[in-house]
Amino acid sequence: MPSADLTLDPHFTVGRVNRRLFGSFVEHLGRCVYDGIYEPGHPSADPEGFRTDVMELVRELGVSAIRYPGGNFVSGFRWEDSVGPREERPARLDLAWHSTESNEVGLDEFAGWLEKVGSELMYAVNLGTRGVLEAVDVLEYANIRSGTALSDARIKNGRVDPHRIKMWCLGNEMDGPWQLGHRSAEDYGKIASQTAKAMRQLDPDLELVVCGSSNAQMPTFGSWEHTVLRHTYDDVDYISCHAYYEEHDGDAASFLAVATNMDHFIESVVATADTVRAELGRTKRIDISFDEWNVWYNTRYHSEQQITDIERWPTAPRLLEDAYSVIDAVVVGNLLISLLKHADRVTSASLAQLVNVIAPIMTEPGGPAWRQTTFFPFAITSRLAVGHALEVRLTCDTYETKAYGEVPLVDAVATHDPETGRTAIFLVNRSLDAPTTVTVDVGRLGAVELLETHTLADDDVYAANTLTDQERVGVSPNPSATVADGRLTVELPACSWTALSLG
Ligand code: AHR
């Protein structure tokens, strides 16, 4: 049986785990908002039309900041369509997703929903087809207390207190030719800098995210970050990364190793940001907002689901409704490990998306809401990864992949909370057929015992939770885990994700 050895020391920290690492994303896309979080006719709907069964799952998932309202959607969006009396709000064509946007839910309603679920709003402005003034306008509407045209309009619309939105994204995926108003790095860098400066004139304490590359395979990857940061370094706090992964041509071995690609992506963007820092002679560091990441069967979307018929602009169509399997959940757990390993520089991240659209939570109109397989690693990591991420030393066997060459069979990270003394260890076994025994030297943690163990695995790695079988896959305690004489041993089933809590 393959084996792995792990050593950890609570003094060797990577960085503090920022709660914003466990963020998510709600875009006006498909059934994420309409028939997802919002369904006025649903038996569980509250007086505002929001499904309370979905709200309960969102709270259980433990999501911090939620990015809104897009995504590709935002580059064709007029924010002012989405506020004010509902009956006066225009229905618009959403060119990005070839749908009709009713604007029934907008900034004020979404901010109210976030208060109910206990999450923070991270708002994206449109820098594709709009510019500096519209960005400042929505900031004035949202954050100024009163006494101006737009803040008074918000009060008239029933929202007396300002929304106090701290985190703002300066557009979305502006490097992508698919983006409405796509720009070159030079052009985008200039408008992002101007917009950031104007927004800071209104509120200097905002946290601003400039667009990085849409993925690490973009032909402009690297040079895009360099040029954009040369223009915006003094104006912003974060640069974004986006990455979606899927299994290609039945190559599950490579798919299970995609977190190595995320590691490389993060390290490359950090290197580029630090290069610009050196070039400009600055001391401030730019952090990463990994504000779209997930498994997404993107090729399926492009071949089967994309709507192109110009006679048909459906409202809330079923788009990007991937059903996630065990292997997808193992990959999601591994991507969370990658984010935690870089907690010193990745200080915000958003699982894309939250409900129905490539989401951990699914719903049926008038029917149930349920947890996808990917729900479990996210919810458990969000709850247990508290304090500091630790630098762990891992020795293990490797295997060969077509996409990423030789990769470790096991991946791991640990966190330690000095306040409670609790430690959490997160592990994946990437082997498709062999269990792996992991031995962890926990001697430097003092006398500890196991508090919780959770493993996600199944004989069928493609098993999923569906409308007709909503609880097919879940997590179970791992009875093999034991701690004795400063050593923890645990057996990881083939293709599995595990979390252990010690204290
Ligand atoms: O999350 C789905 C889409 O993926 C987003 O709208 C876009 O930003 C990205 O390409």
Side-chain angles (χ1 to χ4, degrees):
M1 183 189 296
S3 62
D5 286 301
L6 192 71
T7 305
L8 49 91
D9 185 322
H11 297 102
F12 296 163
T13 60
V14 176
R16 193 176 67 80
V17 179
N18 194 311
R19 279 300 307 156
R20 284 198 183 132
L21 267 193
F22 305 105
S24 186
F25 177 31
V26 166
E27 177 167 4
H28 282 253
L29 191 185
R31 300 193 305 125
C32 189
V33 175
Y34 308 110
D35 284 356
I37 64 171
Y38 178 77
E39 192 187 334
H42 192 273
S44 85
D46 70 6
E48 277 77 42
F50 290 113
R51 284 182 65 154
T52 55
D53 56 347
V54 175
M55 280 194 251
E56 267 165 43
L57 288 176
V58 171
R59 284 189 210 105
E60 183 186 326
L61 188 63
V63 281
S64 50
I66 302 186
R67 186 166 173 254
Y68 176 86
N72 295 340
F73 167 80
V74 84
S75 294
F77 177 57
R78 301 164 176 92
W79 70 270
E80 58 275 32
D81 286 350
S82 78
V83 296
R86 275 210 172 110
E87 59 289 359
E88 290 171 21
R89 295 187 195 172
R92 299 273 190 196
L93 295 182
D94 165 12
L95 301 181
W97 301 107
H98 205 93
S99 311
T100 299
E101 171 55 51
S102 68
N103 281 306
E104 222 175 306
V105 172
L107 171 55
D108 293 327
E109 291 83 17
F110 190 67
W113 179 80
L114 285 169
E115 280 165 21
K116 296 177 204 218
V117 297
S119 299
E120 178 192 352
L121 178 53
M122 176 179 180
Y123 196 83
V125 300
N126 174 357
L127 285 191
T129 53
R130 306 191 100 186
V132 181
L133 190 62
E134 292 90 347
V136 173
D137 281 352
V138 66
L139 174 59
E140 178 189 325
Y141 180 89
N143 282 12
I144 291 289
R145 174 156 289 287
S146 64
T148 68
L150 292 170
S151 58
D152 288 345
R154 186 199 66 241
I155 293 168
K156 197 167 156 224
N157 292 337
R159 285 294 310 214
V160 175
D161 288 332
H163 297 306
R164 298 188 190 89
I165 306 170
K166 193 96 180 142
M167 248 186 129
W168 294 76
C169 301
L170 301 169
N172 176 69
E173 293 190 348
M174 296 307 305
D175 63 324
W178 59 86
Q179 199 69 216
L180 274 177
H182 156 66
R183 295 172 199 265
S184 67
E186 279 288 331
D187 290 348
Y188 171 65
K190 284 180 197 157
I191 194 173
S193 166
Q194 291 162 357
T195 307
K197 284 189 173 77
M199 291 174 80
R200 285 200 194 285
Q201 274 176 256
L202 196 152
D203 181 351
D205 295 330
L206 300 177
E207 293 181 41
L208 301 178
V209 187
V210 75
C211 292
S213 294
S214 304
N215 59 67
Q217 287 69 49
M218 294 298 288
T220 49
F221 175 56
S223 68
W224 173 274
E225 280 76 4
H226 187 264
T227 306
V228 165
L229 284 175
R230 289 283 309 198
H231 283 285
T232 59
Y233 201 89
D234 296 332
D235 307 315
V236 302
D237 306 284
Y238 305 84
I239 185 154
S240 70
C241 291
H242 289 182
Y244 292 102
Y245 298 100
E246 65 184 301
E247 183 180 329
H248 290 285
D249 306 321
D251 184 1
S254 294
F255 180 47
L256 280 164
V258 294
T260 59
N261 178 270
M262 186 186 243
D263 291 340
H264 184 68
F265 187 0
I266 293 169
E267 286 153 23
S268 305
V269 175
V270 166
T272 310
D274 289 351
T275 301
V276 178
R277 176 177 181 253
E279 286 170 356
L280 299 178
R282 302 293 190 265
T283 50
K284 154 187 161 180
R285 284 186 202 279
I286 298 288
D287 281 350
I288 291 179
S289 168
F290 216 120
D291 48 41
E292 286 189 37
W293 68 270
N294 204 349
V295 171
W296 174 12
Y297 288 86
N298 196 307
T299 41
R300 208 177 290 159
Y301 164 69
H302 285 283
S303 59
E304 295 167 13
Q305 301 178 343
Q306 210 173 356
I307 310 166
T308 49
D309 178 356
I310 58 156
E311 299 297 328
R312 206 165 70 85
W313 294 83
T315 300
R318 287 182 187 258
L319 289 177
L320 283 62
E321 299 203 1
D322 289 352
Y324 291 121
S325 65
V326 170
I327 194 169
D328 299 325
V330 173
V331 166
V332 163
N334 202 167
L335 295 173
L336 284 160
I337 289 173
S338 173
L339 294 172
L340 284 167
K341 282 202 282 192
H342 299 92
D344 54 335
R345 296 302 287 272
V346 184
T347 52
S348 181
S350 314
L351 174 73
Q353 298 192 7
L354 187 61
V355 181
N356 290 329
V357 173
I358 45 173
I361 299 168
M362 296 300 290
T363 68
E364 263 309 294
W370 67 97
R371 299 167 190 81
Q372 293 238 50
T373 56
T374 53
F375 184 99
F376 301 101
F378 189 98
I380 295 170
T381 307
S382 171
R383 184 169 60 78
L384 297 182
V386 179
H388 294 105
L390 301 184
E391 213 174 286
V392 297
R393 287 295 133 103
L394 177 71
T395 318
C396 68
D397 297 326
T398 58
Y399 72 107
E400 199 55 35
T401 63
K402 276 199 203 110
Y404 308 110
E406 193 180 345
V407 300
L409 205 56
V410 168
D411 199 8
V413 74
T415 59
H416 179 75
D417 183 1
E419 278 177 29
T420 60
R422 290 197 174 179
T423 301
I425 304 171
F426 304 95
L427 300 150
V428 287
N429 179 8
R430 292 171 173 155
S431 170
L432 277 161
D433 42 35
T436 299
T437 301
V438 181
T439 306
V440 190
D441 177 353
V442 290
R444 291 174 189 82
L445 297 175
V448 285
E449 58 184 54
L450 276 165
L451 303 175
E452 293 179 39
T453 66
H454 307 277
T455 290
L456 187 141
D458 198 284
D459 290 342
D460 176 5
V461 299
Y462 296 106
N465 294 339
T466 56
L467 173 62
T468 50
D469 198 354
Q470 292 161 23
E471 294 184 5
R472 164 77 178 78
V473 181
V475 279
S476 319
N478 188 320
S480 74
T482 53
V483 182
D485 304 326
R487 289 168 91 73
L488 179 158
T489 19
V490 60
E491 191 177 302
L492 309 180
C495 187
S496 64
W497 172 87
T498 292
L500 308 164
S501 163
L502 299 139

